[in-house]
Short mmCIF file of all heavy atoms in Angstrom, two decimals:
data_model
loop_
_atom_site.label_atom_id
_atom_site.label_comp_id
_atom_site.label_asym_id
_atom_site.label_seq_id
_atom_site.Cartn_x
_atom_site.Cartn_y
_atom_site.Cartn_z
N MET Z 271 15.46 -6.25 3.76
CA MET Z 271 14.60 -6.33 2.59
C MET Z 271 15.44 -5.95 1.37
O MET Z 271 16.17 -4.96 1.39
CB MET Z 271 13.41 -5.39 2.74
CG MET Z 271 12.50 -5.38 1.55
SD MET Z 271 11.14 -4.19 1.63
CE MET Z 271 10.44 -4.49 3.21
N SER Z 272 15.31 -6.71 0.34
CA SER Z 272 16.07 -6.44 -0.88
C SER Z 272 15.34 -5.43 -1.76
O SER Z 272 14.14 -5.20 -1.58
CB SER Z 272 16.26 -7.75 -1.66
OG SER Z 272 15.04 -8.14 -2.24
N PRO Z 273 16.05 -4.83 -2.71
CA PRO Z 273 15.38 -3.91 -3.63
C PRO Z 273 14.24 -4.58 -4.40
O PRO Z 273 13.22 -3.95 -4.67
CB PRO Z 273 16.50 -3.47 -4.57
CG PRO Z 273 17.74 -3.60 -3.75
CD PRO Z 273 17.50 -4.81 -2.89
N ASN Z 274 14.39 -5.85 -4.72
CA ASN Z 274 13.33 -6.57 -5.42
C ASN Z 274 12.09 -6.71 -4.54
O ASN Z 274 10.96 -6.55 -5.01
CB ASN Z 274 13.83 -7.94 -5.88
CG ASN Z 274 12.83 -8.62 -6.79
OD1 ASN Z 274 12.26 -8.00 -7.67
ND2 ASN Z 274 12.63 -9.91 -6.56
N GLU Z 275 12.28 -7.00 -3.28
CA GLU Z 275 11.15 -7.10 -2.34
C GLU Z 275 10.47 -5.75 -2.19
O GLU Z 275 9.24 -5.67 -2.12
CB GLU Z 275 11.62 -7.61 -0.99
CG GLU Z 275 12.05 -9.07 -1.01
CD GLU Z 275 12.73 -9.49 0.28
OE1 GLU Z 275 13.50 -8.70 0.84
OE2 GLU Z 275 12.47 -10.63 0.71
N ASN Z 276 11.26 -4.68 -2.17
CA ASN Z 276 10.68 -3.35 -2.08
C ASN Z 276 9.87 -3.03 -3.34
O ASN Z 276 8.82 -2.42 -3.27
CB ASN Z 276 11.74 -2.29 -1.84
CG ASN Z 276 11.13 -0.95 -1.63
OD1 ASN Z 276 10.35 -0.77 -0.70
ND2 ASN Z 276 11.44 -0.01 -2.48
N GLN Z 277 10.36 -3.47 -4.49
CA GLN Z 277 9.62 -3.25 -5.74
C GLN Z 277 8.27 -3.97 -5.68
O GLN Z 277 7.26 -3.44 -6.15
CB GLN Z 277 10.43 -3.74 -6.94
CG GLN Z 277 9.76 -3.53 -8.26
CD GLN Z 277 9.53 -2.06 -8.58
OE1 GLN Z 277 10.34 -1.22 -8.23
NE2 GLN Z 277 8.41 -1.76 -9.21
N ASN Z 278 8.25 -5.16 -5.09
CA ASN Z 278 6.99 -5.89 -4.94
C ASN Z 278 6.03 -5.13 -4.02
O ASN Z 278 4.83 -5.07 -4.29
CB ASN Z 278 7.24 -7.29 -4.38
CG ASN Z 278 7.87 -8.21 -5.40
OD1 ASN Z 278 7.78 -7.99 -6.61
ND2 ASN Z 278 8.56 -9.24 -4.92
N LEU Z 279 6.56 -4.57 -2.95
CA LEU Z 279 5.72 -3.75 -2.06
C LEU Z 279 5.14 -2.56 -2.82
O LEU Z 279 3.95 -2.27 -2.71
CB LEU Z 279 6.55 -3.20 -0.89
CG LEU Z 279 6.82 -4.10 0.28
CD1 LEU Z 279 7.74 -3.40 1.27
CD2 LEU Z 279 5.55 -4.54 0.96
N HIS Z 280 5.99 -1.91 -3.59
CA HIS Z 280 5.53 -0.74 -4.35
C HIS Z 280 4.44 -1.15 -5.34
O HIS Z 280 3.45 -0.44 -5.51
CB HIS Z 280 6.71 -0.10 -5.07
CG HIS Z 280 6.38 1.19 -5.71
ND1 HIS Z 280 6.18 2.35 -4.99
CD2 HIS Z 280 6.17 1.51 -7.00
CE1 HIS Z 280 5.88 3.32 -5.82
NE2 HIS Z 280 5.86 2.85 -7.05
N SER Z 281 4.60 -2.29 -5.97
CA SER Z 281 3.59 -2.78 -6.92
C SER Z 281 2.26 -3.05 -6.21
O SER Z 281 1.19 -2.76 -6.74
CB SER Z 281 4.07 -4.06 -7.60
OG SER Z 281 5.19 -3.78 -8.40
N ARG Z 282 2.34 -3.60 -5.01
CA ARG Z 282 1.12 -3.85 -4.24
C ARG Z 282 0.42 -2.55 -3.87
O ARG Z 282 -0.80 -2.44 -3.94
CB ARG Z 282 1.44 -4.64 -2.98
CG ARG Z 282 1.82 -6.07 -3.25
CD ARG Z 282 2.16 -6.79 -1.98
NE ARG Z 282 2.58 -8.15 -2.26
CZ ARG Z 282 3.02 -8.97 -1.34
NH1 ARG Z 282 3.09 -8.59 -0.09
NH2 ARG Z 282 3.39 -10.19 -1.66
N ILE Z 283 1.22 -1.57 -3.47
CA ILE Z 283 0.66 -0.26 -3.13
C ILE Z 283 -0.07 0.33 -4.34
O ILE Z 283 -1.20 0.82 -4.22
CB ILE Z 283 1.76 0.70 -2.61
CG1 ILE Z 283 2.25 0.23 -1.24
CG2 ILE Z 283 1.26 2.14 -2.56
CD1 ILE Z 283 3.51 0.92 -0.76
N MET Z 284 0.57 0.29 -5.49
CA MET Z 284 -0.03 0.86 -6.69
C MET Z 284 -1.31 0.10 -7.09
O MET Z 284 -2.29 0.71 -7.51
CB MET Z 284 0.97 0.86 -7.84
CG MET Z 284 2.16 1.78 -7.60
SD MET Z 284 1.69 3.48 -7.21
CE MET Z 284 0.88 3.96 -8.71
N ALA Z 285 -1.31 -1.21 -6.93
CA ALA Z 285 -2.50 -2.01 -7.26
C ALA Z 285 -3.67 -1.63 -6.35
O ALA Z 285 -4.81 -1.53 -6.81
CB ALA Z 285 -2.18 -3.50 -7.14
N ILE Z 286 -3.38 -1.41 -5.08
CA ILE Z 286 -4.44 -1.02 -4.15
C ILE Z 286 -4.99 0.35 -4.52
O ILE Z 286 -6.21 0.56 -4.54
CB ILE Z 286 -3.92 -1.03 -2.69
CG1 ILE Z 286 -3.64 -2.47 -2.25
CG2 ILE Z 286 -4.92 -0.37 -1.75
CD1 ILE Z 286 -2.89 -2.57 -0.92
N VAL Z 287 -4.10 1.29 -4.83
CA VAL Z 287 -4.55 2.63 -5.21
C VAL Z 287 -5.44 2.56 -6.45
O VAL Z 287 -6.49 3.21 -6.51
CB VAL Z 287 -3.34 3.57 -5.43
CG1 VAL Z 287 -3.75 4.88 -6.06
CG2 VAL Z 287 -2.62 3.81 -4.10
N LEU Z 288 -5.04 1.76 -7.43
CA LEU Z 288 -5.87 1.61 -8.64
C LEU Z 288 -7.22 0.98 -8.31
O LEU Z 288 -8.25 1.41 -8.84
CB LEU Z 288 -5.13 0.77 -9.68
CG LEU Z 288 -3.94 1.44 -10.35
CD1 LEU Z 288 -3.18 0.44 -11.21
CD2 LEU Z 288 -4.38 2.63 -11.18
N SER Z 289 -7.23 0.00 -7.44
CA SER Z 289 -8.48 -0.64 -7.05
C SER Z 289 -9.40 0.34 -6.32
O SER Z 289 -10.61 0.36 -6.55
CB SER Z 289 -8.22 -1.84 -6.14
OG SER Z 289 -7.57 -2.87 -6.84
N LEU Z 290 -8.81 1.15 -5.45
CA LEU Z 290 -9.61 2.14 -4.74
C LEU Z 290 -10.23 3.14 -5.72
O LEU Z 290 -11.35 3.59 -5.52
CB LEU Z 290 -8.77 2.87 -3.70
CG LEU Z 290 -8.41 2.05 -2.46
CD1 LEU Z 290 -7.37 2.78 -1.62
CD2 LEU Z 290 -9.64 1.72 -1.64
N GLY Z 291 -9.51 3.45 -6.78
CA GLY Z 291 -10.06 4.34 -7.80
C GLY Z 291 -11.29 3.75 -8.46
O GLY Z 291 -12.24 4.47 -8.80
N ASN Z 292 -11.31 2.44 -8.63
CA ASN Z 292 -12.48 1.77 -9.20
C ASN Z 292 -13.67 1.85 -8.25
O ASN Z 292 -14.80 2.04 -8.69
CB ASN Z 292 -12.16 0.31 -9.53
CG ASN Z 292 -11.20 0.18 -10.69
OD1 ASN Z 292 -11.15 1.04 -11.57
ND2 ASN Z 292 -10.41 -0.87 -10.69
N TYR Z 293 -13.41 1.71 -6.97
CA TYR Z 293 -14.50 1.82 -5.99
C TYR Z 293 -15.06 3.23 -5.96
O TYR Z 293 -16.23 3.45 -5.69
CB TYR Z 293 -14.03 1.41 -4.60
CG TYR Z 293 -13.99 -0.08 -4.39
CD1 TYR Z 293 -12.82 -0.81 -4.54
CD2 TYR Z 293 -15.15 -0.78 -4.05
CE1 TYR Z 293 -12.79 -2.18 -4.35
CE2 TYR Z 293 -15.14 -2.15 -3.85
CZ TYR Z 293 -13.95 -2.84 -4.01
OH TYR Z 293 -13.94 -4.19 -3.82
N ASP Z 294 -14.21 4.20 -6.23
CA ASP Z 294 -14.64 5.59 -6.22
C ASP Z 294 -15.70 5.86 -7.28
O ASP Z 294 -16.51 6.77 -7.14
CB ASP Z 294 -13.42 6.50 -6.44
CG ASP Z 294 -13.72 7.95 -6.18
OD1 ASP Z 294 -14.43 8.23 -5.21
OD2 ASP Z 294 -13.23 8.79 -6.96
N ARG Z 295 -15.73 5.05 -8.31
CA ARG Z 295 -16.69 5.24 -9.41
C ARG Z 295 -18.07 4.65 -9.12
O ARG Z 295 -19.01 4.91 -9.86
CB ARG Z 295 -16.13 4.63 -10.69
CG ARG Z 295 -14.90 5.34 -11.19
CD ARG Z 295 -14.42 4.76 -12.51
NE ARG Z 295 -13.13 5.33 -12.85
CZ ARG Z 295 -11.99 4.67 -12.80
NH1 ARG Z 295 -11.96 3.41 -12.44
NH2 ARG Z 295 -10.86 5.26 -13.12
N LEU Z 296 -18.16 3.83 -8.06
CA LEU Z 296 -19.44 3.22 -7.73
C LEU Z 296 -20.42 4.27 -7.23
O LEU Z 296 -20.05 5.15 -6.45
CB LEU Z 296 -19.26 2.14 -6.66
CG LEU Z 296 -18.47 0.91 -7.04
CD1 LEU Z 296 -18.32 -0.01 -5.82
CD2 LEU Z 296 -19.12 0.16 -8.19
N GLU Z 297 -21.65 4.17 -7.66
CA GLU Z 297 -22.66 5.13 -7.21
C GLU Z 297 -23.19 4.78 -5.82
O GLU Z 297 -23.51 5.65 -5.04
CB GLU Z 297 -23.79 5.20 -8.22
CG GLU Z 297 -23.36 5.87 -9.51
CD GLU Z 297 -24.52 6.09 -10.45
OE1 GLU Z 297 -25.67 6.16 -9.98
OE2 GLU Z 297 -24.27 6.17 -11.66
N GLU Z 298 -23.31 3.48 -5.54
CA GLU Z 298 -23.82 3.06 -4.23
C GLU Z 298 -22.88 2.04 -3.62
O GLU Z 298 -22.36 1.18 -4.31
CB GLU Z 298 -25.21 2.43 -4.38
CG GLU Z 298 -26.28 3.41 -4.79
CD GLU Z 298 -27.65 2.76 -4.79
OE1 GLU Z 298 -27.88 1.86 -3.97
OE2 GLU Z 298 -28.47 3.17 -5.62
N TRP Z 299 -22.69 2.19 -2.33
CA TRP Z 299 -21.85 1.25 -1.59
C TRP Z 299 -22.73 0.47 -0.62
O TRP Z 299 -23.58 1.03 0.06
CB TRP Z 299 -20.80 1.99 -0.79
CG TRP Z 299 -19.66 2.54 -1.60
CD1 TRP Z 299 -19.66 2.87 -2.92
CD2 TRP Z 299 -18.36 2.81 -1.13
NE1 TRP Z 299 -18.44 3.34 -3.29
CE2 TRP Z 299 -17.61 3.32 -2.21
CE3 TRP Z 299 -17.74 2.68 0.11
CZ2 TRP Z 299 -16.29 3.70 -2.09
CZ3 TRP Z 299 -16.41 3.07 0.22
CH2 TRP Z 299 -15.70 3.56 -0.86
N ASN Z 300 -22.47 -0.83 -0.53
CA ASN Z 300 -23.14 -1.64 0.48
C ASN Z 300 -22.11 -2.01 1.55
O ASN Z 300 -20.95 -1.59 1.48
CB ASN Z 300 -23.80 -2.88 -0.15
CG ASN Z 300 -22.80 -3.74 -0.88
OD1 ASN Z 300 -21.62 -3.76 -0.55
ND2 ASN Z 300 -23.27 -4.47 -1.89
N GLU Z 301 -22.52 -2.77 2.52
CA GLU Z 301 -21.61 -3.12 3.62
C GLU Z 301 -20.42 -3.94 3.12
O GLU Z 301 -19.29 -3.76 3.60
CB GLU Z 301 -22.36 -3.87 4.72
CG GLU Z 301 -21.61 -3.93 6.03
CD GLU Z 301 -21.25 -2.56 6.59
OE1 GLU Z 301 -22.05 -1.62 6.49
OE2 GLU Z 301 -20.14 -2.43 7.14
N GLU Z 302 -20.62 -4.80 2.15
CA GLU Z 302 -19.53 -5.60 1.60
C GLU Z 302 -18.49 -4.69 0.92
O GLU Z 302 -17.28 -4.89 1.08
CB GLU Z 302 -20.07 -6.61 0.58
CG GLU Z 302 -19.00 -7.53 0.02
CD GLU Z 302 -19.57 -8.54 -0.96
OE1 GLU Z 302 -20.79 -8.71 -1.03
OE2 GLU Z 302 -18.75 -9.14 -1.67
N THR Z 303 -18.98 -3.69 0.22
CA THR Z 303 -18.07 -2.73 -0.43
C THR Z 303 -17.25 -2.00 0.62
O THR Z 303 -16.04 -1.85 0.48
CB THR Z 303 -18.87 -1.72 -1.28
OG1 THR Z 303 -19.66 -2.42 -2.22
CG2 THR Z 303 -17.95 -0.76 -1.99
N ARG Z 304 -17.91 -1.56 1.67
CA ARG Z 304 -17.20 -0.85 2.75
C ARG Z 304 -16.15 -1.75 3.40
O ARG Z 304 -15.04 -1.31 3.70
CB ARG Z 304 -18.20 -0.36 3.80
CG ARG Z 304 -19.02 0.81 3.34
CD ARG Z 304 -19.98 1.30 4.44
NE ARG Z 304 -20.77 2.41 3.98
CZ ARG Z 304 -21.92 2.29 3.33
NH1 ARG Z 304 -22.43 1.10 3.07
NH2 ARG Z 304 -22.59 3.37 2.94
N ASP Z 305 -16.49 -3.01 3.62
CA ASP Z 305 -15.54 -3.96 4.20
C ASP Z 305 -14.33 -4.15 3.27
O ASP Z 305 -13.19 -4.20 3.74
CB ASP Z 305 -16.20 -5.30 4.47
CG ASP Z 305 -17.18 -5.25 5.64
OD1 ASP Z 305 -17.12 -4.29 6.44
OD2 ASP Z 305 -18.02 -6.17 5.74
N ASP Z 306 -14.59 -4.26 1.98
CA ASP Z 306 -13.49 -4.41 1.00
C ASP Z 306 -12.56 -3.20 1.04
O ASP Z 306 -11.34 -3.34 1.05
CB ASP Z 306 -14.04 -4.57 -0.42
CG ASP Z 306 -14.73 -5.90 -0.64
OD1 ASP Z 306 -14.55 -6.83 0.18
OD2 ASP Z 306 -15.45 -6.01 -1.66
N VAL Z 307 -13.14 -2.02 1.09
CA VAL Z 307 -12.34 -0.79 1.12
C VAL Z 307 -11.56 -0.69 2.42
O VAL Z 307 -10.38 -0.33 2.42
CB VAL Z 307 -13.23 0.45 0.88
CG1 VAL Z 307 -12.47 1.73 1.16
CG2 VAL Z 307 -13.77 0.44 -0.54
N ARG Z 308 -12.18 -1.03 3.53
CA ARG Z 308 -11.47 -1.01 4.82
C ARG Z 308 -10.26 -1.95 4.78
O ARG Z 308 -9.18 -1.61 5.27
CB ARG Z 308 -12.40 -1.43 5.95
CG ARG Z 308 -13.33 -0.36 6.42
CD ARG Z 308 -14.13 -0.80 7.65
NE ARG Z 308 -15.28 0.04 7.81
CZ ARG Z 308 -16.55 -0.33 7.55
NH1 ARG Z 308 -16.82 -1.55 7.15
NH2 ARG Z 308 -17.54 0.52 7.71
N GLU Z 309 -10.45 -3.13 4.23
CA GLU Z 309 -9.38 -4.10 4.13
C GLU Z 309 -8.25 -3.58 3.23
O GLU Z 309 -7.07 -3.70 3.58
CB GLU Z 309 -9.90 -5.43 3.59
CG GLU Z 309 -8.86 -6.52 3.57
CD GLU Z 309 -9.42 -7.86 3.10
OE1 GLU Z 309 -10.64 -8.06 3.13
OE2 GLU Z 309 -8.60 -8.70 2.70
N MET Z 310 -8.61 -2.98 2.11
CA MET Z 310 -7.59 -2.43 1.22
C MET Z 310 -6.83 -1.29 1.89
O MET Z 310 -5.61 -1.18 1.75
CB MET Z 310 -8.22 -1.95 -0.09
CG MET Z 310 -8.51 -3.07 -1.05
SD MET Z 310 -8.93 -2.47 -2.67
CE MET Z 310 -10.63 -1.99 -2.40
N LEU Z 311 -7.53 -0.45 2.63
CA LEU Z 311 -6.87 0.65 3.32
C LEU Z 311 -5.93 0.14 4.42
O LEU Z 311 -4.85 0.69 4.62
CB LEU Z 311 -7.90 1.62 3.91
CG LEU Z 311 -8.66 2.45 2.88
CD1 LEU Z 311 -9.76 3.24 3.56
CD2 LEU Z 311 -7.73 3.36 2.10
N SER Z 312 -6.34 -0.91 5.07
CA SER Z 312 -5.49 -1.52 6.08
C SER Z 312 -4.22 -2.09 5.43
O SER Z 312 -3.11 -1.90 5.93
CB SER Z 312 -6.25 -2.62 6.82
OG SER Z 312 -5.42 -3.27 7.73
N ASP Z 313 -4.39 -2.79 4.31
CA ASP Z 313 -3.24 -3.32 3.57
C ASP Z 313 -2.35 -2.19 3.08
O ASP Z 313 -1.12 -2.28 3.16
CB ASP Z 313 -3.70 -4.16 2.37
CG ASP Z 313 -4.34 -5.47 2.77
OD1 ASP Z 313 -4.21 -5.89 3.95
OD2 ASP Z 313 -4.98 -6.10 1.90
N LEU Z 314 -2.96 -1.13 2.59
CA LEU Z 314 -2.20 0.02 2.09
C LEU Z 314 -1.35 0.62 3.21
O LEU Z 314 -0.17 0.93 3.01
CB LEU Z 314 -3.16 1.06 1.52
CG LEU Z 314 -2.53 2.31 0.93
CD1 LEU Z 314 -1.62 1.98 -0.24
CD2 LEU Z 314 -3.63 3.27 0.49
N GLU Z 315 -1.94 0.76 4.37
CA GLU Z 315 -1.19 1.30 5.51
C GLU Z 315 -0.01 0.40 5.86
O GLU Z 315 1.11 0.87 6.08
CB GLU Z 315 -2.11 1.46 6.72
CG GLU Z 315 -1.43 2.04 7.93
CD GLU Z 315 -2.36 2.20 9.12
OE1 GLU Z 315 -3.46 1.64 9.11
OE2 GLU Z 315 -1.94 2.89 10.06
N TYR Z 316 -0.24 -0.90 5.89
CA TYR Z 316 0.81 -1.86 6.22
C TYR Z 316 1.95 -1.80 5.19
O TYR Z 316 3.13 -1.68 5.56
CB TYR Z 316 0.24 -3.28 6.29
CG TYR Z 316 1.31 -4.33 6.43
CD1 TYR Z 316 1.93 -4.54 7.66
CD2 TYR Z 316 1.69 -5.10 5.34
CE1 TYR Z 316 2.92 -5.50 7.79
CE2 TYR Z 316 2.68 -6.06 5.47
CZ TYR Z 316 3.30 -6.25 6.70
OH TYR Z 316 4.28 -7.19 6.82
N TYR Z 317 1.62 -1.88 3.91
CA TYR Z 317 2.64 -1.88 2.87
C TYR Z 317 3.39 -0.55 2.82
O TYR Z 317 4.59 -0.50 2.57
CB TYR Z 317 2.04 -2.19 1.50
CG TYR Z 317 1.50 -3.59 1.39
CD1 TYR Z 317 0.25 -3.84 0.82
CD2 TYR Z 317 2.21 -4.68 1.87
CE1 TYR Z 317 -0.25 -5.12 0.72
CE2 TYR Z 317 1.71 -5.97 1.78
CZ TYR Z 317 0.48 -6.19 1.20
OH TYR Z 317 -0.01 -7.45 1.11
N THR Z 318 2.70 0.54 3.07
CA THR Z 318 3.34 1.86 3.09
C THR Z 318 4.35 1.95 4.23
O THR Z 318 5.45 2.47 4.05
CB THR Z 318 2.28 2.96 3.21
OG1 THR Z 318 1.36 2.84 2.13
CG2 THR Z 318 2.91 4.34 3.18
N LYS Z 319 3.99 1.42 5.39
CA LYS Z 319 4.93 1.42 6.51
C LYS Z 319 6.14 0.55 6.21
O LYS Z 319 7.27 0.92 6.55
CB LYS Z 319 4.23 0.94 7.79
CG LYS Z 319 3.31 1.98 8.38
CD LYS Z 319 2.64 1.48 9.64
CE LYS Z 319 1.70 2.54 10.17
NZ LYS Z 319 0.99 2.08 11.36
N CYS Z 320 5.92 -0.59 5.59
CA CYS Z 320 7.04 -1.45 5.20
C CYS Z 320 7.98 -0.74 4.24
O CYS Z 320 9.21 -0.79 4.39
CB CYS Z 320 6.54 -2.75 4.56
SG CYS Z 320 5.73 -3.88 5.69
N GLU Z 321 7.41 -0.06 3.26
CA GLU Z 321 8.23 0.66 2.29
C GLU Z 321 8.96 1.83 2.97
O GLU Z 321 10.13 2.09 2.70
CB GLU Z 321 7.39 1.16 1.12
CG GLU Z 321 8.23 1.66 -0.02
CD GLU Z 321 7.44 1.87 -1.29
OE1 GLU Z 321 6.22 2.16 -1.22
OE2 GLU Z 321 8.05 1.76 -2.35
N GLN Z 322 8.30 2.51 3.87
CA GLN Z 322 8.93 3.60 4.61
C GLN Z 322 10.12 3.08 5.40
O GLN Z 322 11.19 3.68 5.41
CB GLN Z 322 7.92 4.26 5.54
CG GLN Z 322 8.49 5.40 6.35
CD GLN Z 322 7.46 6.01 7.28
OE1 GLN Z 322 6.33 5.55 7.38
NE2 GLN Z 322 7.85 7.04 7.98
N ASN Z 323 9.95 1.94 6.07
CA ASN Z 323 11.05 1.34 6.83
C ASN Z 323 12.22 0.98 5.92
O ASN Z 323 13.38 1.16 6.29
CB ASN Z 323 10.57 0.10 7.58
CG ASN Z 323 9.67 0.43 8.74
OD1 ASN Z 323 9.68 1.54 9.25
ND2 ASN Z 323 8.85 -0.52 9.14
N TYR Z 324 11.91 0.47 4.74
CA TYR Z 324 12.96 0.12 3.77
C TYR Z 324 13.79 1.36 3.44
O TYR Z 324 15.02 1.33 3.48
CB TYR Z 324 12.35 -0.46 2.50
CG TYR Z 324 13.36 -0.61 1.38
CD1 TYR Z 324 14.22 -1.70 1.35
CD2 TYR Z 324 13.47 0.36 0.38
CE1 TYR Z 324 15.15 -1.82 0.33
CE2 TYR Z 324 14.39 0.24 -0.63
CZ TYR Z 324 15.23 -0.85 -0.66
OH TYR Z 324 16.16 -0.98 -1.66
N TYR Z 325 13.13 2.47 3.11
CA TYR Z 325 13.86 3.68 2.72
C TYR Z 325 14.62 4.30 3.90
O TYR Z 325 15.70 4.87 3.71
CB TYR Z 325 12.94 4.69 2.06
CG TYR Z 325 12.60 4.27 0.65
CD1 TYR Z 325 11.31 3.89 0.30
CD2 TYR Z 325 13.59 4.22 -0.32
CE1 TYR Z 325 11.02 3.48 -0.99
CE2 TYR Z 325 13.31 3.81 -1.62
CZ TYR Z 325 12.02 3.45 -1.95
OH TYR Z 325 11.74 3.04 -3.21
N GLU Z 326 14.08 4.18 5.09
CA GLU Z 326 14.80 4.68 6.26
C GLU Z 326 16.08 3.89 6.47
O GLU Z 326 17.15 4.45 6.73
CB GLU Z 326 13.92 4.63 7.51
CG GLU Z 326 12.85 5.69 7.52
CD GLU Z 326 11.88 5.55 8.68
OE1 GLU Z 326 12.00 4.59 9.47
OE2 GLU Z 326 10.99 6.41 8.79
N LYS Z 327 16.01 2.58 6.34
CA LYS Z 327 17.20 1.73 6.48
C LYS Z 327 18.18 1.98 5.35
O LYS Z 327 19.39 1.99 5.54
CB LYS Z 327 16.80 0.27 6.56
CG LYS Z 327 16.13 -0.09 7.85
CD LYS Z 327 15.70 -1.53 7.90
CE LYS Z 327 14.95 -1.78 9.19
NZ LYS Z 327 14.45 -3.15 9.26
N TYR Z 328 17.64 2.19 4.14
CA TYR Z 328 18.49 2.46 2.98
C TYR Z 328 19.30 3.74 3.20
O TYR Z 328 20.48 3.80 2.91
CB TYR Z 328 17.62 2.58 1.73
CG TYR Z 328 18.38 2.90 0.48
CD1 TYR Z 328 19.16 1.94 -0.16
CD2 TYR Z 328 18.29 4.18 -0.10
CE1 TYR Z 328 19.84 2.23 -1.32
CE2 TYR Z 328 18.99 4.48 -1.26
CZ TYR Z 328 19.76 3.50 -1.86
OH TYR Z 328 20.44 3.80 -3.00
N ARG Z 329 18.65 4.77 3.75
CA ARG Z 329 19.34 6.03 4.03
C ARG Z 329 20.43 5.83 5.09
O ARG Z 329 21.52 6.38 4.98
CB ARG Z 329 18.36 7.09 4.51
CG ARG Z 329 17.76 7.87 3.39
CD ARG Z 329 16.90 8.93 3.94
NE ARG Z 329 15.65 8.25 4.30
CZ ARG Z 329 14.59 8.82 4.78
NH1 ARG Z 329 14.57 10.08 5.01
NH2 ARG Z 329 13.51 8.13 5.05
N GLU Z 330 20.13 5.04 6.11
CA GLU Z 330 21.11 4.77 7.16
C GLU Z 330 22.34 4.10 6.57
O GLU Z 330 23.47 4.44 6.91
CB GLU Z 330 20.51 3.91 8.26
CG GLU Z 330 19.47 4.61 9.12
CD GLU Z 330 18.79 3.66 10.08
OE1 GLU Z 330 19.19 2.49 10.19
OE2 GLU Z 330 17.81 4.09 10.72
N VAL Z 331 22.14 3.14 5.70
CA VAL Z 331 23.24 2.41 5.09
C VAL Z 331 24.07 3.34 4.21
O VAL Z 331 25.29 3.31 4.23
CB VAL Z 331 22.72 1.20 4.28
CG1 VAL Z 331 23.81 0.59 3.42
CG2 VAL Z 331 22.14 0.16 5.22
N ARG Z 332 23.41 4.19 3.45
CA ARG Z 332 24.13 5.10 2.56
C ARG Z 332 24.93 6.15 3.33
O ARG Z 332 25.94 6.63 2.85
CB ARG Z 332 23.15 5.80 1.62
CG ARG Z 332 22.65 4.86 0.55
CD ARG Z 332 21.94 5.58 -0.52
NE ARG Z 332 22.87 6.52 -1.15
CZ ARG Z 332 22.55 7.31 -2.13
NH1 ARG Z 332 21.33 7.31 -2.61
NH2 ARG Z 332 23.41 8.15 -2.66
N GLN Z 333 24.45 6.53 4.50
CA GLN Z 333 25.14 7.55 5.29
C GLN Z 333 26.38 7.00 6.00
O GLN Z 333 27.22 7.77 6.42
CB GLN Z 333 24.19 8.17 6.31
CG GLN Z 333 23.12 9.03 5.65
CD GLN Z 333 22.11 9.57 6.65
OE1 GLN Z 333 22.12 9.21 7.82
NE2 GLN Z 333 21.21 10.40 6.17
N LYS Z 334 26.46 5.70 6.14
CA LYS Z 334 27.62 5.10 6.85
C LYS Z 334 28.82 5.00 5.94
O LYS Z 334 28.85 4.97 4.83
CB LYS Z 334 27.24 3.71 7.37
CG LYS Z 334 26.25 3.80 8.50
CD LYS Z 334 25.96 2.45 9.06
CE LYS Z 334 24.98 2.58 10.20
NZ LYS Z 334 24.67 1.33 10.80
#
């Protein structure tokens, strides 16, 4: 993964966090809202793991 691809991952993570903040302001949640949040959390977990893998590999390369 290139640094540019990692920057895109980071941007996606930040966009999800901002979106979740908007949901936090809702007074009532329906099932559709819950499904949207579940999907965002799943995406957040995936992108976070991808970014974590990038930094682990980056550290390995720098240590060599």
Side-chain angles (χ1 to χ4, degrees):
M271 178 184 310
S272 72
N274 189 43
E275 291 170 321
N276 185 59
Q277 181 63 35
N278 288 338
L279 280 176
H280 188 73
S281 295
R282 289 179 183 176
I283 290 169
M284 294 306 297
I286 291 170
V287 170
L288 289 172
S289 293
L290 287 170
N292 291 331
Y293 280 97
D294 191 40
R295 294 183 189 108
L296 294 176
E297 290 186 25
E298 292 185 32
W299 285 26
N300 58 28
E301 196 58 39
E302 183 179 347
T303 303
R304 287 182 181 87
D305 289 343
D306 290 344
V307 170
R308 281 186 198 106
E309 185 177 341
M310 281 191 281
L311 290 173
S312 176
D313 289 347
L314 181 62
E315 181 180 14
Y316 172 77
Y317 294 135
T318 302
K319 285 180 182 178
C320 289
E321 191 167 29
Q322 180 181 4
N323 289 338
Y324 170 81
Y325 285 113
E326 286 174 358
K327 289 178 184 177
Y328 178 74
R329 272 184 280 183
E330 289 173 7
V331 169
R332 286 192 61 180
Q333 290 176 353
K334 290 184 179 181

